[in-house]
Amino acid sequence: MALHFRKLGSFLSSTHKSRVFLVSRPVSKFLDTPRQFSTSQALFHPTTVSQNPEEDFVKKNDVEFLKWHNGGGMFHKSALIDPTAVIEISALIHPEAVVGPNVQVGAGAVIGPAVTVGQSTKIGYNVAVTNCTIGDYCIIHNGACIGQDGFGFFVNEQGQMVKKPQTLKARIGNHVEIGAHTCIDRGSWRDTTIGDNTKIDNLVQIGHNVVIGQYCILCGQVGIAGSVTIEDYVTFGGKAAAIDHVRIVSQVRLAANSCVTKDITEPGDYAGFPAVPIHEWRRQVVALRQK
């Protein structure tokens, strides 16, 4: 046992003595694209020389991720970032991402690989976006998550739980506002889509393959199950919901705590569980009180 400890101490001592410091090089050809993007200052990255492949991978990423000049965040050298963008400290821009003019990325936010963020969009603190495109002049509030896998599973013949592939994207239009800690899943058989000028409150769940039209309003704690189609100018009151695969026509308003369980084909106001025209729901409430 003592021999083993002596060998371990000798190994740790030799490893400590072999530590060196590397200096990353600035990206010299970052502007070799037709669009105008900015370079960044080089960073000094202390790393440990090792023959371990995992450590080599870490060192490689240390060189490929650089500090953004406007805000102090980190970006991958393959990302295309307009020089007017602000990337705050501890924010991270992944490879092949595109960040447009005057975009603001808050501290702790993560822009995933190949994500596109349109001009003048504001992304709050600790937002995570991946597998998605975001339009112009959007506001994404703190903690929102866009583009993660949808909830799709089935039990196979052997009784095992199998995950359904979630391989498509979430597409956010222009002038969209998304509240804090709202989640929008990416698609499996069609892209999840949020139309222009739609406003979404805090703590809203939008499942995979959902298509929402323009000028819609979703209040707090709304839940939209997968593959729902919502046309233009639809309003969901707080805690309203829709089950999967239903369709709602334009100019429908749903009262709070309503649940859509079948297609709504006529414009108007609806309430209840299941949701029915609001005049019918009011008669149901009166009849229940009389009983």
Side-chain angles (χ1 to χ4, degrees):
M1 179 64 72
L3 177 61
H4 289 300
F5 277 114
R6 285 197 295 269
K7 288 183 177 180
L8 178 60
S10 176
F11 170 76
L12 292 176
S13 177
S14 62
T15 304
H16 176 73
K17 291 179 181 178
S18 65
R19 178 168 296 180
V20 298
F21 293 92
L22 301 179
V23 179
S24 65
R25 298 178 181 178
V27 181
S28 60
K29 296 184 179 180
F30 191 65
L31 299 178
D32 289 346
T33 60
R35 300 176 63 175
Q36 182 180 0
F37 296 98
S38 174
T39 59
S40 173
Q41 298 177 352
L43 286 182
F44 293 89
H45 296 287
T47 57
T48 303
V49 175
S50 171
Q51 296 180 351
N52 188 321
E54 293 182 359
E55 293 186 5
D56 292 341
F57 176 78
V58 171
K59 290 189 298 180
K60 180 180 177 182
N61 282 339
D62 281 345
V63 174
E64 293 181 347
F65 280 90
L66 304 174
K67 185 176 181 180
W68 185 245
H69 69 279
N70 192 6
M74 302 296 292
F75 72 100
H76 191 271
K77 66 181 183 180
S78 67
L80 303 180
I81 306 174
D82 189 89
T84 60
V86 177
I87 303 171
E88 294 184 2
I89 190 167
S90 76
L92 181 63
I93 311 298
H94 276 267
E96 308 297 333
V98 178
V99 179
N102 301 309
V103 168
Q104 298 180 24
V105 181
V110 178
I111 308 299
V115 168
T116 299
V117 181
Q119 66 172 332
S120 300
T121 287
K122 297 180 180 180
I123 296 178
Y125 305 137
N126 298 315
V127 170
V129 294
T130 185
N131 307 306
C132 68
T133 61
I134 300 174
D136 302 336
Y137 301 98
C138 295
I139 300 175
I140 315 296
H141 289 282
N142 302 341
C145 296
I146 303 172
Q148 63 281 344
D149 284 356
F151 191 75
F153 300 89
F154 69 95
V155 179
N156 64 14
E157 295 177 353
Q158 290 75 37
Q160 298 172 330
M161 188 70 72
V162 179
K163 181 180 177 67
K164 294 181 180 179
Q166 311 288 315
T167 58
L168 300 181
K169 290 191 173 184
R171 300 190 182 276
I172 312 300
N174 301 322
H175 299 278
V176 173
E177 185 161 344
I178 298 173
H181 298 284
T182 284
C183 296
I184 302 175
D185 297 337
R186 67 167 168 167
S188 59
W189 64 271
R190 67 177 179 182
D191 290 338
T192 303
T193 304
I194 310 297
D196 296 346
N197 297 287
T198 286
K199 312 300 180 184
I200 301 172
D201 199 358
N202 303 333
L203 298 171
V204 172
Q205 163 63 27
I206 297 175
H208 55 187
N209 312 314
V210 170
V211 174
I212 298 177
Q214 301 180 26
Y215 295 95
C216 293
I217 296 175
L218 278 64
C219 296
Q221 297 185 312
V222 162
I224 309 295
S227 303
V228 170
T229 301
I230 300 172
E231 297 183 5
D232 302 336
Y233 295 97
V234 173
T235 298
F236 276 70
K239 290 189 177 182
I243 70 167
D244 56 291
H245 294 276
V246 299
R247 186 180 192 91
I248 302 173
V249 299
S250 298
Q251 298 182 352
V252 167
R253 296 191 303 176
L254 289 159
N257 291 305
S258 302
C259 183
V260 179
T261 59
K262 61 181 181 180
D263 292 353
I264 295 180
T265 58
E266 296 292 333
D269 296 341
Y270 292 78
F273 185 180
V276 295
I278 198 163
H279 297 298
E280 180 179 343
W281 172 76
R282 287 169 178 163
R283 288 194 292 268
Q284 292 175 356
V285 172
V286 171
L288 184 61
R289 286 179 178 177
Q290 290 176 348
K291 290 182 181 180

